[in-house]
Amino acid sequence: MSFIDTIALEQASGEVLAMYRRQQAHFGYLPNYARVFSHRPEVMASWAALLASIRRHVDPRRFELVTLAAARSLSNSYCALAHGQALAGLVGTPQLRALLEGRDTLDAAEREMMALAAKVADDAAGVTQADIDRLRAHGLGDDEIFDVVAVAAARAFFTKVLDGLGAQADVAYREMVPELREALTVGRPIAAGDERREMPSAQPVAEP
């Protein structure tokens, strides 16, 4: 599941247990990514706060498109699967399938946003004024362009922590439509064992 030993559910206490409870309440199981943050739960809390501050300015569809583009560019299966699934909930499975196959019905601005997000994730130093101007030409303001770059840059932090520690996407993603699951598994494989365990009895804590 990961390259490091993590704190088991039965041994969790304090901030770690609180984090585990939040994740369990949200997903119905404890996701693998939460486990790798068990040694530094305050980092997980800071990440959640940063992400919330970024995404509150971004339309949900745009957020998912940009995040998916960044995750795929970063070869991170975990986030590609999670945000592909979220995008399917917004646009429908047929549209997601079309997007992954390169025959989508996105508008030109959305394609440019995804292209910039992928470039920021893969080679931010390679971004040029022309890349920014293409988004301006499609009506995006500089604040919106900042948001696209911030979403992609934040995703780079999270994916590199997960991949750097060997975290695999949760077994639950094996339940996705096979062709989508395969297309979105762009890096590490989905975990093979069932890691979905019940939390100790406790009142759920609100998601941060």
Side-chain angles (χ1 to χ4, degrees), residues 1 21 36-40 43 48 54 58 69 86 90 99 101 125 132 153-154 156 160 167 176-177 182 184:
M1 183 182 64
R21 286 175 176 168
V36 300
F37 280 90
S38 63
H39 296 291
R40 297 289 184 266
V43 177
I54 293 170
V58 185
L90 293 174
L99 189 156
E101 294 174 356
I132 303 303
K160 289 180 184 297
M176 290 181 71
V177 176
E182 292 170 9
L184 292 166

mmCIF file of all heavy atoms in Angstrom, residues 1 21 36-40 43 48 54 58 69 86 90 99 101 125 132 153-154 156 160 167 176-177 182 184:
data_model
loop_
_atom_site.group_PDB
_atom_site.id
_atom_site.type_symbol
_atom_site.label_atom_id
_atom_site.label_comp_id
_atom_site.label_asym_id
_atom_site.label_seq_id
_atom_site.Cartn_x
_atom_site.Cartn_y
_atom_site.Cartn_z
ATOM 1 N N MET A 1 0.825 -1.215 0.000
ATOM 2 C CA MET A 1 0.000 0.000 0.000
ATOM 3 C C MET A 1 0.852 1.254 0.000
ATOM 4 O O MET A 1 0.518 2.233 -0.632
ATOM 5 C CB MET A 1 -0.940 -0.005 1.190
ATOM 6 C CG MET A 1 -1.890 1.156 1.253
ATOM 7 S SD MET A 1 -2.923 1.107 2.716
ATOM 8 C CE MET A 1 -1.672 1.295 3.993
ATOM 9 N N ARG A 21 -11.041 9.772 11.269
ATOM 10 C CA ARG A 21 -12.502 9.841 11.404
ATOM 11 C C ARG A 21 -13.116 10.710 10.312
ATOM 12 O O ARG A 21 -14.173 10.385 9.761
ATOM 13 C CB ARG A 21 -12.879 10.389 12.784
ATOM 14 C CG ARG A 21 -12.676 9.398 13.924
ATOM 15 C CD ARG A 21 -12.961 10.064 15.245
ATOM 16 N NE ARG A 21 -12.872 9.123 16.360
ATOM 17 C CZ ARG A 21 -12.856 9.482 17.628
ATOM 18 N NH1 ARG A 21 -12.926 10.762 17.958
ATOM 19 N NH2 ARG A 21 -12.778 8.560 18.582
ATOM 20 N N VAL A 36 -0.844 7.659 4.594
ATOM 21 C CA VAL A 36 0.533 8.125 4.432
ATOM 22 C C VAL A 36 0.767 9.468 5.113
ATOM 23 O O VAL A 36 1.917 9.849 5.355
ATOM 24 C CB VAL A 36 0.962 8.192 2.948
ATOM 25 C CG1 VAL A 36 0.875 6.825 2.296
ATOM 26 C CG2 VAL A 36 0.155 9.210 2.166
ATOM 27 N N PHE A 37 -0.308 10.186 5.437
ATOM 28 C CA PHE A 37 -0.165 11.438 6.186
ATOM 29 C C PHE A 37 -0.247 11.214 7.696
ATOM 30 O O PHE A 37 -0.240 12.183 8.456
ATOM 31 C CB PHE A 37 -1.253 12.429 5.768
ATOM 32 C CG PHE A 37 -0.966 13.159 4.483
ATOM 33 C CD1 PHE A 37 -1.382 12.642 3.259
ATOM 34 C CD2 PHE A 37 -0.270 14.361 4.489
ATOM 35 C CE1 PHE A 37 -1.123 13.312 2.072
ATOM 36 C CE2 PHE A 37 -0.005 15.042 3.304
ATOM 37 C CZ PHE A 37 -0.436 14.510 2.086
ATOM 38 N N SER A 38 -0.313 9.966 8.129
ATOM 39 C CA SER A 38 -0.544 9.696 9.548
ATOM 40 C C SER A 38 0.592 10.181 10.447
ATOM 41 O O SER A 38 0.371 10.444 11.622
ATOM 42 C CB SER A 38 -0.791 8.201 9.780
ATOM 43 O OG SER A 38 0.338 7.426 9.422
ATOM 44 N N HIS A 39 1.800 10.309 9.902
ATOM 45 C CA HIS A 39 2.915 10.806 10.719
ATOM 46 C C HIS A 39 2.917 12.330 10.831
ATOM 47 O O HIS A 39 3.572 12.882 11.719
ATOM 48 C CB HIS A 39 4.250 10.334 10.126
ATOM 49 C CG HIS A 39 4.415 8.847 10.163
ATOM 50 N ND1 HIS A 39 4.583 8.140 11.337
ATOM 51 C CD2 HIS A 39 4.403 7.930 9.160
ATOM 52 C CE1 HIS A 39 4.688 6.851 11.057
ATOM 53 N NE2 HIS A 39 4.578 6.691 9.754
ATOM 54 N N ARG A 40 2.188 12.988 9.920
ATOM 55 C CA ARG A 40 2.128 14.455 9.926
ATOM 56 C C ARG A 40 0.703 14.904 9.611
ATOM 57 O O ARG A 40 0.434 15.502 8.559
ATOM 58 C CB ARG A 40 3.109 15.040 8.895
ATOM 59 C CG ARG A 40 4.576 14.740 9.172
ATOM 60 C CD ARG A 40 5.099 15.512 10.387
ATOM 61 N NE ARG A 40 6.531 15.289 10.575
ATOM 62 C CZ ARG A 40 7.040 14.366 11.381
ATOM 63 N NH1 ARG A 40 6.228 13.571 12.074
ATOM 64 N NH2 ARG A 40 8.348 14.225 11.494
ATOM 65 N N VAL A 43 0.025 18.397 8.279
ATOM 66 C CA VAL A 43 0.272 18.679 6.862
ATOM 67 C C VAL A 43 -0.985 18.388 6.053
ATOM 68 O O VAL A 43 -1.343 19.138 5.132
ATOM 69 C CB VAL A 43 1.474 17.864 6.345
ATOM 70 C CG1 VAL A 43 1.673 18.097 4.839
ATOM 71 C CG2 VAL A 43 2.744 18.236 7.103
ATOM 72 N N ALA A 48 -5.614 20.456 3.041
ATOM 73 C CA ALA A 48 -7.060 20.598 2.874
ATOM 74 C C ALA A 48 -7.463 22.066 2.880
ATOM 75 O O ALA A 48 -8.314 22.499 2.084
ATOM 76 C CB ALA A 48 -7.794 19.838 3.972
ATOM 77 N N ILE A 54 -8.286 27.483 -2.752
ATOM 78 C CA ILE A 54 -8.149 27.575 -4.207
ATOM 79 C C ILE A 54 -9.470 27.283 -4.901
ATOM 80 O O ILE A 54 -9.934 28.043 -5.752
ATOM 81 C CB ILE A 54 -7.063 26.609 -4.708
ATOM 82 C CG1 ILE A 54 -5.674 27.042 -4.204
ATOM 83 C CG2 ILE A 54 -7.063 26.527 -6.237
ATOM 84 C CD1 ILE A 54 -4.580 26.020 -4.455
ATOM 85 N N VAL A 58 -13.314 28.482 -8.067
ATOM 86 C CA VAL A 58 -13.328 27.779 -9.346
ATOM 87 C C VAL A 58 -14.623 26.988 -9.515
ATOM 88 O O VAL A 58 -15.021 26.234 -8.619
ATOM 89 C CB VAL A 58 -12.112 26.828 -9.454
ATOM 90 C CG1 VAL A 58 -12.041 26.191 -10.832
ATOM 91 C CG2 VAL A 58 -10.810 27.569 -9.146
ATOM 92 N N ALA A 69 -6.459 16.968 -15.827
ATOM 93 C CA ALA A 69 -5.360 17.205 -16.763
ATOM 94 C C ALA A 69 -4.018 17.175 -16.042
ATOM 95 O O ALA A 69 -3.046 16.573 -16.519
ATOM 96 C CB ALA A 69 -5.556 18.544 -17.470
ATOM 97 N N ALA A 86 -15.132 11.991 -10.310
ATOM 98 C CA ALA A 86 -15.884 13.206 -9.967
ATOM 99 C C ALA A 86 -16.367 13.916 -11.227
ATOM 100 O O ALA A 86 -17.504 14.413 -11.280
ATOM 101 C CB ALA A 86 -15.011 14.143 -9.136
ATOM 102 N N LEU A 90 -20.286 14.934 -13.053
ATOM 103 C CA LEU A 90 -20.721 16.244 -13.524
ATOM 104 C C LEU A 90 -21.140 16.237 -14.991
ATOM 105 O O LEU A 90 -22.096 16.913 -15.371
ATOM 106 C CB LEU A 90 -19.593 17.268 -13.334
ATOM 107 C CG LEU A 90 -19.210 17.614 -11.893
ATOM 108 C CD1 LEU A 90 -17.981 18.515 -11.891
ATOM 109 C CD2 LEU A 90 -20.361 18.299 -11.176
ATOM 110 N N LEU A 99 -13.750 12.331 -23.709
ATOM 111 C CA LEU A 99 -12.600 13.174 -23.369
ATOM 112 C C LEU A 99 -11.325 12.355 -23.320
ATOM 113 O O LEU A 99 -10.288 12.752 -23.873
ATOM 114 C CB LEU A 99 -12.854 13.862 -22.020
ATOM 115 C CG LEU A 99 -11.888 14.937 -21.559
ATOM 116 C CD1 LEU A 99 -12.584 15.869 -20.571
ATOM 117 C CD2 LEU A 99 -10.651 14.342 -20.896
ATOM 118 N N GLU A 101 -10.697 9.654 -24.783
ATOM 119 C CA GLU A 101 -10.382 9.117 -26.111
ATOM 120 C C GLU A 101 -10.053 10.204 -27.120
ATOM 121 O O GLU A 101 -9.804 9.921 -28.292
ATOM 122 C CB GLU A 101 -11.565 8.284 -26.618
ATOM 123 C CG GLU A 101 -11.806 7.019 -25.802
ATOM 124 C CD GLU A 101 -13.066 6.277 -26.219
ATOM 125 O OE1 GLU A 101 -13.799 6.801 -27.097
ATOM 126 O OE2 GLU A 101 -13.308 5.172 -25.680
ATOM 127 N N ALA A 125 8.375 25.617 -15.959
ATOM 128 C CA ALA A 125 9.339 26.578 -16.502
ATOM 129 C C ALA A 125 9.189 26.744 -18.008
ATOM 130 O O ALA A 125 9.705 27.708 -18.583
ATOM 131 C CB ALA A 125 10.766 26.131 -16.164
ATOM 132 N N ILE A 132 -0.395 31.868 -21.859
ATOM 133 C CA ILE A 132 -1.312 32.700 -21.081
ATOM 134 C C ILE A 132 -2.226 33.504 -22.001
ATOM 135 O O ILE A 132 -3.437 33.611 -21.771
ATOM 136 C CB ILE A 132 -0.522 33.647 -20.154
ATOM 137 C CG1 ILE A 132 0.418 32.858 -19.231
ATOM 138 C CG2 ILE A 132 -1.481 34.531 -19.355
ATOM 139 C CD1 ILE A 132 -0.260 31.816 -18.375
ATOM 140 N N ALA A 153 -0.709 23.402 -9.748
ATOM 141 C CA ALA A 153 0.463 23.400 -8.873
ATOM 142 C C ALA A 153 0.173 22.691 -7.556
ATOM 143 O O ALA A 153 1.010 21.929 -7.042
ATOM 144 C CB ALA A 153 0.923 24.837 -8.613
ATOM 145 N N ALA A 154 -1.003 22.927 -6.993
ATOM 146 C CA ALA A 154 -1.380 22.250 -5.750
ATOM 147 C C ALA A 154 -1.468 20.748 -5.963
ATOM 148 O O ALA A 154 -1.055 19.959 -5.103
ATOM 149 C CB ALA A 154 -2.706 22.803 -5.237
ATOM 150 N N ALA A 156 0.255 19.031 -7.982
ATOM 151 C CA ALA A 156 1.613 18.505 -8.076
ATOM 152 C C ALA A 156 2.154 18.153 -6.689
ATOM 153 O O ALA A 156 2.779 17.102 -6.502
ATOM 154 C CB ALA A 156 2.526 19.513 -8.762
ATOM 155 N N LYS A 160 2.890 14.147 -5.701
ATOM 156 C CA LYS A 160 4.284 13.780 -5.456
ATOM 157 C C LYS A 160 4.484 13.208 -4.055
ATOM 158 O O LYS A 160 5.339 12.352 -3.845
ATOM 159 C CB LYS A 160 5.210 14.965 -5.734
ATOM 160 C CG LYS A 160 5.306 15.259 -7.235
ATOM 161 C CD LYS A 160 6.219 16.420 -7.539
ATOM 162 C CE LYS A 160 6.199 16.730 -9.035
ATOM 163 N NZ LYS A 160 6.706 15.618 -9.868
ATOM 164 N N ALA A 167 1.941 5.347 -2.326
ATOM 165 C CA ALA A 167 0.518 5.136 -2.036
ATOM 166 C C ALA A 167 -0.227 4.708 -3.296
ATOM 167 O O ALA A 167 -0.072 5.320 -4.359
ATOM 168 C CB ALA A 167 -0.106 6.408 -1.481
ATOM 169 N N MET A 176 -15.005 0.897 -10.828
ATOM 170 C CA MET A 176 -15.314 1.783 -11.940
ATOM 171 C C MET A 176 -15.536 0.983 -13.219
ATOM 172 O O MET A 176 -15.089 -0.162 -13.344
ATOM 173 C CB MET A 176 -14.177 2.785 -12.160
ATOM 174 C CG MET A 176 -14.038 3.835 -11.071
ATOM 175 S SD MET A 176 -12.701 5.013 -11.415
ATOM 176 C CE MET A 176 -13.416 5.924 -12.789
ATOM 177 N N VAL A 177 -16.197 1.604 -14.182
ATOM 178 C CA VAL A 177 -16.355 1.002 -15.504
ATOM 179 C C VAL A 177 -14.968 0.612 -16.013
ATOM 180 O O VAL A 177 -14.055 1.465 -16.010
ATOM 181 C CB VAL A 177 -17.026 2.001 -16.477
ATOM 182 C CG1 VAL A 177 -17.104 1.415 -17.881
ATOM 183 C CG2 VAL A 177 -18.399 2.392 -15.971
ATOM 184 N N GLU A 182 -9.176 1.663 -16.650
ATOM 185 C CA GLU A 182 -7.905 1.416 -17.332
ATOM 186 C C GLU A 182 -7.327 2.702 -17.900
ATOM 187 O O GLU A 182 -6.115 2.944 -17.815
ATOM 188 C CB GLU A 182 -8.116 0.387 -18.441
ATOM 189 C CG GLU A 182 -8.441 -1.014 -17.915
ATOM 190 C CD GLU A 182 -8.893 -1.964 -19.004
ATOM 191 O OE1 GLU A 182 -8.791 -1.586 -20.199
ATOM 192 O OE2 GLU A 182 -9.336 -3.080 -18.670
ATOM 193 N N LEU A 184 -7.733 5.689 -16.795
ATOM 194 C CA LEU A 184 -7.346 6.615 -15.731
ATOM 195 C C LEU A 184 -6.229 6.075 -14.839
ATOM 196 O O LEU A 184 -5.701 6.806 -14.003
ATOM 197 C CB LEU A 184 -8.569 6.949 -14.876
ATOM 198 C CG LEU A 184 -9.646 7.775 -15.591
ATOM 199 C CD1 LEU A 184 -10.948 7.770 -14.796
ATOM 200 C CD2 LEU A 184 -9.174 9.204 -15.829
#
